[in-house]
Amino acid sequence: MIFKSLVEYYERLAAQGKVPAFGLTQEKIGYCILLDRHGKVQDIISLSDPSDKKSKWAMLTVPASFKRSGTAPPPFFLWDKTAFVLGVEHKKDSDVPTLNIRSHGVFKALHLERLADATDDGLVALRKFIEEWIPDQWQQCEAIVKHGPAIFGANIVFRLDGEQEYIHERAAAQELIKRYSATDDSPLGLCLVSGETRPIARLHPAIKGVWGAQSSGASIVSFNLDAFDSYGKDRGANAPVSVHAAFAYTTALNYLLLRDPHHRQCVQIGDASVVFWAEAKNQEEQEAAEDFFSCALEPPYNDPSAVAKLQSALDLVAEGRGINDLNALLDPASRIFVLGLSPNASRLSVRFWFTERLDVFTKRLADHYNDLSIKPAPWKTQPNQWRLLSSIAAHDKTENISPWLAGSLARSILSGQCYPRSLSSSIISRIRSDGQVTGMRVAICKAALSRNRRLEPKNNPTEVPVSFDPDNREPGYLFGRLFAMLESIQEVALGEVNSSIKDRYYASASAVPQRVFRLLLNGVVHHVSRGRKGPKRNLILSLDQKMREIVFLINGNFPRSLSVEQQSWFALGYYHQYQVRFNSSTKKDDAENSPDEDTENEQ
């Protein structure tokens, strides 16, 4: 199903001219050698973008690459790395370029064989260059020396001086590419993707761009050891996929995995590189569906207009209306495909795979953002999954994000199922570890509670509040509110202290309330007594009254321990209650903090 969908997507992209035809591929090319008609080097041109300091290459369509292994790997046709083209490379353990006569030898042998009968000016010039080039004399070529060590290790193409097209783009070169891309020597078999009898690929092309995988590429289908063979079948024959289908699905994946600001069909979630594409009635609706899904899955925070459109679409879904009310090109029936890939040594693991209508995915994403909704909101725009996961990770570092948790969270959002049970426990553990009850963390706790109650309403009748709810009677919520009131009273009575009750007791109060709250309630008596004698007497009395109202609702029922679910309620109640005080207007705060004249006269 995955390969079939990718092959169909490749056919649509090829018809639109976005991906290379069979036998070609897109590669990162760093330099172009400019030759005259006698094969002499006129210049070497860098293909990097001069306006971008980070640019080191350009994406060009060249003859297809393949996996290389062994002590004498085969070369690519009409292009390759400097180790093959020039016989010079720059190794990591060496400060100076070193010769690679063996690689250049196989490059030279291949091209002298294939270009022996060439009559095209460009191909003849290339053949003469290869015949005359001596690797150990590279330092005598000023065109190479001027680029310094940066050129060694880059991919190289060729161009004839005075012409615009590269040599591999010339008509004669294209004929050679087609001839040597033929699959007559591949065994025939039944392709599992197309169901047709076609030449079967022994090795599949490499998939590049998956974060954490080998830079040279990795494979979804690979049988590289004898132990993987069965019933006398060798390599790719164990899972027969035609040469054309293997080329198509890998080309489509490499296109989707491009990391480009203008190409947003790949999102990184934990260790999973998540790609998505659409199937619609026409190209315009396909692109509209992909752009919309990209914004919904990974909101573009640097584009306020796009965020506003996304919010409008989510509001429409919440109202039960169609997303085509926002954009006529958005067809709710368009089908979206989502594939998550994770590195696994030289292979790739399929972390998850989903396919649904656009309106179904939109509803699931809207539910996710609605579950996260909390007031006061700790963000200006809806948080993406990276921001959520970073709030769970130690020291807020992405490298500390659990790959399993990241994949499980993405799967829950895309499938509309309950969040992983470890999500809430991970948040609680982080809060207990560093004492930071941030809005982002509380929102995740609230989201897990909301989703469980929406999917299992019979077992969870209480609605999870978005904003402060004084009528909520969940035990954890009341304990969290009470703890926030105790902290506020201490803060008003004593001012800034080295260690507040939050710093010392939050973790234990949220886990074992019976052991902690009696101690805290005894201590708050002294805080109230001290505060009544200070300039903030009215504020202390108001806080004390509200605290007593919460204690009355609890009615002395302090359990020995709270479950993870109730600890999530505790965090939510604490956040809501503590934020209420700081959301009031400045004038109201000033009025509460100043003693009234009658009280001063009595004293």
Side-chain angles (χ1 to χ4, degrees), residues 274-423:
V274 183
V275 296
F276 53 89
W277 64 97
E279 179 183 5
K281 298 175 183 177
N282 52 55
Q283 180 180 347
E284 291 76 15
E285 290 188 0
Q286 171 192 315
E287 294 176 351
E290 291 169 349
D291 290 343
F292 175 77
F293 187 79
S294 173
C295 291
L297 189 63
E298 190 80 357
Y301 299 107
N302 57 348
D303 189 349
S305 61
V307 174
K309 290 181 180 178
L310 171 61
Q311 190 60 54
S312 299
L314 296 179
D315 293 341
L316 288 175
V317 173
E319 296 171 2
R321 297 163 61 189
I323 53 177
N324 51 353
D325 290 347
L326 181 68
N327 185 346
L329 290 176
L330 289 175
D331 182 4
S334 298
R335 186 159 291 275
I336 300 292
F337 304 86
V338 185
L339 175 63
L341 297 174
S342 297
N344 182 14
S346 61
R347 294 180 175 82
L348 299 176
S349 299
V350 176
R351 182 59 65 87
F352 48 80
W353 162 251
F354 295 105
T355 172
E356 287 287 357
R357 287 164 48 110
L358 177 61
D359 56 350
V360 174
F361 272 132
T362 304
K363 178 64 168 61
R364 291 174 181 175
L365 290 170
D367 288 341
H368 165 66
Y369 291 127
N370 184 61
D371 290 338
L372 280 174
S373 178
I374 188 174
K375 293 181 181 179
W379 50 69
K380 293 182 179 180
T381 56
Q382 295 286 4
N384 59 24
Q385 295 179 58
W386 262 120
R387 293 173 65 192
L388 296 177
L389 293 167
S390 296
S391 68
I392 303 175
H395 309 296
D396 294 336
K397 294 183 178 180
T398 55
E399 57 265 28
N400 295 329
I401 294 174
S402 166
W404 182 90
L405 183 59
S408 299
L409 177 60
R411 189 182 297 109
S412 299
I413 295 172
L414 294 170
S415 65
Q417 298 175 353
C418 290
Y419 295 120
R421 293 184 180 274
S422 60
L423 182 64

Side-chain angles (χ1 to χ4, degrees), residues 2 40 78 96 109 120 127 172 184 225 251 368 385 412 416 512:
I2 297 176
K40 303 296 184 182
L78 302 180
V96 295
D120 177 79
R127 184 182 65 206
D184 296 338
L225 296 176
T251 301
H368 165 66
Q385 295 179 58
S412 299
V512 285

Side-chain angles (χ1 to χ4, degrees), residues 6-249:
L6 284 168
V7 169
E8 292 174 350
Y9 186 56
Y10 166 80
E11 299 296 345
R12 296 196 295 273
L13 291 175
Q16 299 165 13
K18 294 183 178 180
V19 292
F22 179 66
L24 302 175
T25 187
Q26 287 187 321
E27 298 288 345
K28 300 174 181 178
I29 308 298
Y31 297 87
C32 172
I33 297 180
L34 195 65
L35 301 174
D36 65 12
R37 281 169 168 72
H38 300 289
K40 303 296 184 182
V41 177
Q42 298 300 298
D43 196 5
I44 296 182
I45 304 171
S46 173
L47 300 181
S48 61
D49 185 357
S51 62
D52 185 357
K53 296 181 179 180
K54 296 182 179 180
S55 173
K56 297 181 180 179
W57 41 261
M59 291 296 296
L60 296 182
T61 300
V62 295
S65 60
F66 45 81
K67 295 178 183 177
R68 299 195 283 205
S69 61
T71 56
F76 301 141
F77 188 41
L78 302 180
W79 70 280
D80 215 317
K81 292 183 177 296
T82 55
F84 289 85
V85 174
L86 303 176
V88 188
E89 63 181 341
H90 193 272
K91 295 184 178 180
K92 295 181 179 180
D93 56 352
S94 176
D95 296 332
V96 295
T98 58
L99 296 179
N100 192 330
I101 303 301
R102 176 179 293 178
S103 294
H104 178 68
V106 295
F107 182 85
K108 181 176 182 179
L110 174 74
H111 285 77
L112 290 182
E113 176 188 352
R114 294 187 177 183
L115 303 180
D117 300 326
T119 57
D120 177 79
D121 290 346
L123 296 178
V124 171
L126 177 58
R127 184 182 65 206
K128 290 180 178 180
F129 164 78
I130 294 174
E131 288 175 340
E132 299 175 2
W133 176 255
I134 302 175
D136 57 4
Q137 295 182 2
W138 68 270
Q139 291 178 324
Q140 300 177 14
C141 182
E142 296 182 0
I144 296 178
V145 174
K146 73 175 184 180
H147 290 290
I151 191 174
F152 301 112
N155 289 323
I156 303 288
V157 293
F158 300 89
R159 183 162 63 86
L160 199 60
D161 189 15
E163 299 192 11
Q164 295 297 320
E165 62 181 0
Y166 298 105
I167 289 179
H168 67 268
E169 294 176 335
R170 300 171 71 89
Q174 291 294 312
E175 289 297 326
L176 288 177
I177 293 170
K178 291 179 181 179
R179 180 194 306 175
Y180 292 107
S181 296
T183 56
D184 296 338
D185 57 339
S186 300
L188 293 177
L190 183 65
C191 175
L192 297 179
V193 177
S194 65
E196 301 175 351
T197 300
R198 289 191 173 187
I200 300 301
R202 185 172 182 271
L203 297 175
H204 294 202
I207 299 170
K208 301 177 182 180
V210 175
W211 181 81
Q214 295 179 351
S215 58
S216 58
S219 302
I220 296 178
V221 177
S222 176
F223 300 87
N224 60 338
L225 296 176
D226 293 340
F228 302 151
D229 297 341
S230 61
Y231 296 98
K233 297 184 181 296
D234 178 63
R235 298 298 189 266
N238 287 277
V241 176
S242 69
V243 174
H244 182 272
F247 171 82
Y249 89 77

Side-chain angles (χ1 to χ4, degrees), residues 383-509:
N384 59 24
Q385 295 179 58
W386 262 120
R387 293 173 65 192
L388 296 177
L389 293 167
S390 296
S391 68
I392 303 175
H395 309 296
D396 294 336
K397 294 183 178 180
T398 55
E399 57 265 28
N400 295 329
I401 294 174
S402 166
W404 182 90
L405 183 59
S408 299
L409 177 60
R411 189 182 297 109
S412 299
I413 295 172
L414 294 170
S415 65
Q417 298 175 353
C418 290
Y419 295 120
R421 293 184 180 274
S422 60
L423 182 64
S424 297
S425 58
S426 297
I427 286 291
I428 298 301
S429 297
R430 293 306 311 156
I431 293 176
R432 298 185 65 178
S433 174
D434 57 25
Q436 300 298 315
V437 191
T438 64
M440 188 74 73
R441 292 177 173 181
V442 174
I444 298 175
C445 290
K446 184 259 178 184
L449 293 171
S450 298
R451 181 156 294 206
N452 288 337
R453 275 154 175 71
R454 190 179 70 253
L455 297 179
E456 300 176 2
K458 293 182 179 179
N459 300 331
N460 304 284
T462 306
E463 183 178 353
V464 182
V466 174
S467 57
F468 176 69
D469 182 10
D471 299 323
N472 192 290
R473 297 296 183 265
E474 279 288 338
Y477 192 80
L478 292 174
F479 296 144
R481 288 184 57 198
L482 177 58
F483 190 84
M485 293 304 304
L486 293 172
E487 181 186 8
S488 297
I489 291 174
Q490 182 198 45
E491 182 179 337
V492 173
L494 304 183
E496 185 176 353
V497 294
N498 293 330
S499 179
S500 67
I501 64 171
K502 173 177 172 290
D503 299 328
R504 299 178 59 185
Y505 296 110
Y506 181 93
S508 53

